[in-house]
Amino acid sequence: MKRLIRYNLGSVALGSLVVSFVESIRFILESIRRKLKVAGVTSDGWFGKIGNHTSQGCLRCVEWTIKSVNRNAYIMIAITGKSFFKASEIATELIMNNILRIGKVNVIGDVILFLGKLCVSLSSAVFGFLMLDTYKYRAAHNKISSPLLPVLICWALGYVVATLFFAVVEMSIDTIILSFCQDSEEHQGTAQYAPPLLIETLGDQNEMQRLTQ
């Protein structure tokens, strides 16, 4: 936090400004669309609907892309200490040069993280159901007529908490992968500081053999 406040606070603020700028454009366009719809100016035909949904989809894609670039830029700022735009350039170049490697890890990681969120939320729901199934909640004035709603609330809260926790795990995974790619780029395609397990996971068999000899 000390290093962030002293050296990189402007880069963080700039990244937040870019995201808020795109979201503001989305909000303004949505507000204009609703006002035109209330005034009866917009076309109710299929052409107008297609144009509206297309523009909304494009803006969502742009917003998602910018948020992804921002996250990777923040990682590279922490690794290299560069400015926001320079870190964005480095992160984008690393991703494009290692698209298959990063894509493989992201797909497997997303599946594992989703299963983790599911397990945590279902465990919360089961714990809530078992708690409501005790004598305290089956008799007297605390009696629950149906445990369905409390169990669903427990499941939803568990999923939200798991999502927030695994977001940190996902950021850690991205940081490790980008650090590995940066290490490979700086040493002519051969990672020098990566542990053997990471090299084996990412499929660099030649380097794995060199390190295990």
Side-chain angles (χ1 to χ4, degrees):
M1 290 299 297
K2 180 180 179 182
R3 183 176 297 177
L4 167 67
I5 294 173
R6 183 173 181 181
Y7 297 107
N8 305 120
L9 195 60
S11 297
V12 174
L14 182 58
S16 302
L17 178 64
V18 173
V19 174
S20 63
F21 179 73
V22 176
E23 291 184 347
S24 299
I25 293 177
R26 277 190 59 193
F27 177 78
I28 292 172
L29 292 178
E30 182 65 18
S31 177
I32 293 174
R33 186 188 68 82
R34 290 180 179 178
K35 289 182 179 179
L36 292 177
K37 186 175 182 179
V38 171
V41 179
T42 56
S43 174
D44 293 331
W46 64 271
F47 184 77
K49 292 180 179 179
I50 290 177
N52 175 50
H53 291 305
T54 302
S55 62
Q56 291 294 322
C58 290
L59 284 175
R60 287 192 181 95
C61 290
V62 170
E63 181 182 3
W64 179 85
T65 303
I66 289 178
K67 286 183 178 180
S68 178
V69 171
N70 267 9
R71 183 175 65 180
N72 294 321
Y74 290 155
I75 292 172
M76 295 311 300
I77 288 172
I79 295 174
T80 63
K82 302 291 184 181
S83 62
F84 176 78
F85 290 111
K86 184 63 178 177
S88 300
E89 179 184 351
I90 295 173
T92 304
E93 184 178 357
L94 287 175
I95 292 173
M96 295 305 296
N97 292 338
N98 301 273
I99 187 69
L100 295 178
R101 178 183 291 169
I102 294 176
K104 178 177 66 174
V105 173
N106 283 340
V107 169
I108 298 174
D110 288 343
V111 173
I112 294 175
L113 291 176
F114 174 75
L115 292 177
K117 296 174 188 177
L118 199 61
C119 290
V120 171
S121 58
L122 290 178
S123 299
S124 301
V126 170
F127 179 77
F129 176 79
L130 293 176
M131 185 180 68
L132 294 175
D133 196 43
T134 57
Y135 177 78
K136 179 180 179 181
Y137 296 100
R138 286 189 293 140
H141 63 280
N142 290 327
K143 182 179 180 180
I144 301 296
S145 59
S146 174
L148 179 61
L149 182 60
V151 168
L152 288 177
I153 293 175
C154 289
W155 176 82
L157 291 176
Y159 190 83
V160 170
V161 172
T163 300
L164 295 175
F165 175 78
F166 282 110
V168 180
V169 179
E170 186 177 6
M171 177 70 77
S172 302
I173 294 172
D174 292 340
T175 303
I176 292 172
I177 297 303
L178 286 178
S179 299
F180 179 86
C181 295
Q182 179 73 6
D183 186 14
S184 299
E185 290 289 329
E186 291 179 351
H187 298 94
Q188 292 78 38
T190 301
Q192 297 292 324
Y193 303 105
L197 180 59
L198 182 60
I199 297 174
E200 181 182 5
T201 302
L202 295 178
D204 198 342
Q205 299 296 332
N206 294 331
E207 181 64 14
M208 179 63 189
Q209 294 175 0
R210 186 185 70 82
L211 289 175
T212 55
Q213 288 177 353

